[in-house]
Every structure is written in C-alpha cells, then in structure tokens.
Amino acid sequence: MKTKMRWIVLIPLIVAATSGIGIWLLTGKWLEDGLDPKADGTNEYAIVLGAKVKKGNVPSLALQYRLDAALAYAKEFAHVRLVLSGGQGPDEDIEEAIVMKEFLLNNGIEENRLIIEDKATSTYENLLFSKEFIPDNIHSVTIITSDYHLQRAKILASKLGWESDVVAAKTPKVVEQKVRMRERVALLKAYIFGK
C-alpha cells in the first residue's frame, strides 16, 4: 500500500517537473528565434518600442539601448521611417515617444522620418496603434526592441497581419535575468491569447 501511495505522489511530481523543463526549453528557443531575420533596410517602416522613462525625462537603460539601436539603424538606412511607440505610464512625467523623438532629433535624424505614436502602454498596443500610422499596403515592418522582447513582438505583429524583421537592442545586465524570466511567461500568453 505504501508503494502505491508513493507512486500516486511521485507520478504527478515527475509529470510537473518534465512539463516545466519542456516549457523552459521551448520558451528559451523562442527567445533565440526572436533574433532573426535581421533587418537589412528592406522595410520602409521600423517600429521602435518604448520602455520606461525616469524622472527628469531621462530614458531608462532599456530605452536608451533601444534608442541607440534605432539611431544606428536609421543612420545606416536613410530611407527608413521610424514609428516611435510609447505612451505615458502612471509613474512617468511624459510620453515615451516624445523622449524618443527628442533623442533622435538631437542625434541628427530628420523630423520628417519620425512618426509619433504616444498612446500605447503595452507591446500589443505598441503594434496595434502604430498600424494606424502605416499605409495599408505595407505588409512587412522592422521591429526595434530589446533582444529578449523580439519574439513576442514578432508574434503580435503577425497576428496584426505583418511579417517582420528585427533590430536587437541589448538588454541591461542588471535586469536581464528578471526580464527574461518574465518574458517566458509573456511569450506563452502571446502564443495562447494573441496579446
């Protein structure tokens, strides 16, 4: 009887552990898949996803890395227009898109290449609201965001009818473990619910 009870306890534990390892490996592969295809200037529009703005309208390190990646890409491909997407969070004094615009203008990107989407407060909204600024005949866009964030953004872009290529911004080391863990859960949600 004790042996049977032991198996009744062990089997669910083994199943849970195996499932957990499987999900961990799968979401790890998804994070890696997000890094391709790399953008090469083919798409006319690139969407730069916002991130936190600190007091004094200073970009967080995550946002600064995204802006650095966007700036380098914009300088390399002068025909690409950038949709700067990010609203104002409850703990921000200004819309993320406005801070993004100021940085790019101050670093030599022409204003007529910058499109401001300043309402979005989530990755899904970043893409959904950006769609309003991109012509209907455009079916492929470039996404510029943190490396760990790319796959989810690609999934959501696909749900909105876009193909996408990517520009990966590095992730700040101080938050890398935390955001990658959180992103694994967000990826599962995006695959299941499409948001």
Side-chain angles (χ1 to χ4, degrees):
M1 192 66 172
K2 285 185 178 180
T3 303
K4 186 176 182 182
M5 287 300 290
R6 187 178 305 137
W7 281 110
I8 289 172
V9 172
L10 278 177
I11 288 174
L13 289 175
I14 292 168
V15 169
T18 305
S19 298
I21 291 167
I23 289 170
W24 182 265
L25 294 173
L26 179 63
T27 55
K29 181 183 181 324
W30 288 345
L31 289 173
E32 290 301 314
D33 289 348
L35 300 174
D36 290 309
K38 290 180 177 37
D40 59 5
T42 302
N43 291 322
E44 184 181 345
Y45 290 87
I47 303 171
V48 187
L49 304 187
K52 184 167 180 53
V53 172
K54 299 187 290 188
K55 294 292 179 201
N57 302 339
V58 176
S60 62
L61 196 51
L63 182 55
Q64 188 60 59
Y65 287 163
R66 293 178 191 189
L67 288 170
D68 292 342
L71 178 63
Y73 190 73
K75 286 186 173 182
E76 185 175 0
F77 301 106
H79 65 283
V80 174
R81 299 190 70 199
L82 304 174
V83 181
L84 310 176
S85 179
Q88 182 177 350
D91 58 348
E92 295 174 318
D93 297 329
I94 192 171
E95 293 85 354
E96 295 163 3
I98 302 302
V99 172
M100 295 159 76
K101 177 183 177 183
E102 288 305 312
F103 173 84
L104 293 168
L105 286 175
N106 291 337
N107 283 277
I109 304 303
E110 302 85 357
E111 188 165 8
N112 64 358
R113 293 178 61 195
L114 305 177
I115 300 166
I116 305 304
E117 185 294 296
D118 61 0
K119 303 288 185 258
T121 58
S122 69
T123 304
Y124 179 72
E125 287 182 356
N126 285 136
L127 297 163
L128 180 66
F129 297 168
S130 293
K131 200 167 176 64
E132 297 171 19
F133 298 96
I134 296 175
D136 291 340
N137 65 336
I138 299 293
H139 302 292
S140 184
V141 296
T142 296
I143 298 171
I144 302 175
T145 190
S146 303
D147 51 12
Y148 73 88
H149 192 214
L150 287 166
Q151 183 64 8
R152 181 159 52 105
K154 285 170 37 181
I155 292 167
L156 298 174
S158 176
K159 301 269 186 196
L160 294 170
W162 280 327
E163 292 181 16
S164 57
D165 58 16
V166 299
V167 174
K170 63 184 180 179
T171 299
K173 290 291 181 200
V174 295
V175 297
E176 188 169 24
Q177 293 301 324
K178 179 177 83 169
V179 295
R180 285 185 175 278
M181 181 67 76
R182 190 176 64 203
E183 189 66 14
R184 289 172 186 268
V185 174
L187 270 168
L188 288 170
K189 180 183 169 205
Y191 267 106
I192 295 167
F193 300 109
K195 287 189 179 181

